[in-house]
Amino acid sequence: LGGKMPVLLTLNYSDCPMLCSLQLNQLVMTLDAMDLKIGRDFGLVTLSIDPKETTEKIRATKQKYIEMLPNQRDASGGWHFVTASQATITSVTDAVGFKYRYDEFSKEYYHPAMLAFVSPEGVITRYSLDVTFPEDQMRMALVEASDGKVGSVVDQFLMLCFQYDAERNRYV
């Protein structure tokens, strides 16, 4: 993770017929509207949960989403789409508590939508288990994950006034 900035982690796969594209489409809408910049203020990692996914396939998926970010000019260098062996995928998914399974009949992975906010030290500071990401909530979660190294003085003040409410899945 580099240890310099917070990282958003998504677990998806390119051939997902619905949830992954829905989640990533919503994510890019929020990211493109934000003034925090991918690669400058935070990193982004999308790990494919499909060990058979090819490098070529995931590169095409990355290109699709990068093209949807006209206001994030350096997104390509800060958003990493990666493939891995099943052992590595299992290690990561176990570490973040992401449960999924492959269905032989449908040839699909059944999985939840999940976004993990990870501190520069590798500590998960927040999860989002939704497919929508309100910009203000995303910003506050990134500020929290960065331990105040990302964002403005106003953001630091707001973090004193707001707390994360897990019941409502947002800051209040």
Side-chain angles (χ1 to χ4, degrees), residues 11-13 47-53 82-95 98-104 109:
L11 299 163
N12 305 98
Y13 69 108
L47 171 63
S48 174
I49 59 173
D50 181 356
K52 295 178 184 167
E53 185 157 341
V82 295
T83 58
S85 68
Q86 185 60 64
T88 300
I89 294 167
T90 299
S91 178
V92 172
T93 57
D94 286 352
F98 183 83
K99 302 297 181 203
Y100 71 103
R101 71 178 181 82
Y102 183 73
D103 180 66
E104 283 291 336
Y109 289 90

Side-chain angles (χ1 to χ4, degrees), residues 35-52:
D35 64 338
L36 295 178
K37 299 299 180 195
I38 302 168
R40 183 191 75 195
D41 299 311
F42 63 97
L44 192 50
V45 174
T46 295
L47 171 63
S48 174
I49 59 173
D50 181 356
K52 295 178 184 167

Side-chain angles (χ1 to χ4, degrees), residues 24-34 36-39 42 44 46 61-81:
L24 293 173
N25 286 335
Q26 292 295 317
L27 180 60
V28 296
M29 285 175 42
T30 299
L31 294 173
D32 203 47
M34 290 179 57
L36 295 178
K37 299 299 180 195
I38 302 168
F42 63 97
L44 192 50
T46 295
T61 302
K62 175 181 180 175
Q63 188 60 36
K64 171 186 171 183
Y65 290 106
I66 294 299
E67 288 174 1
M68 296 169 66
L69 291 165
N71 296 321
Q72 291 277 354
R73 290 188 286 154
D74 297 325
S76 185
W79 190 349
H80 307 281
F81 282 69

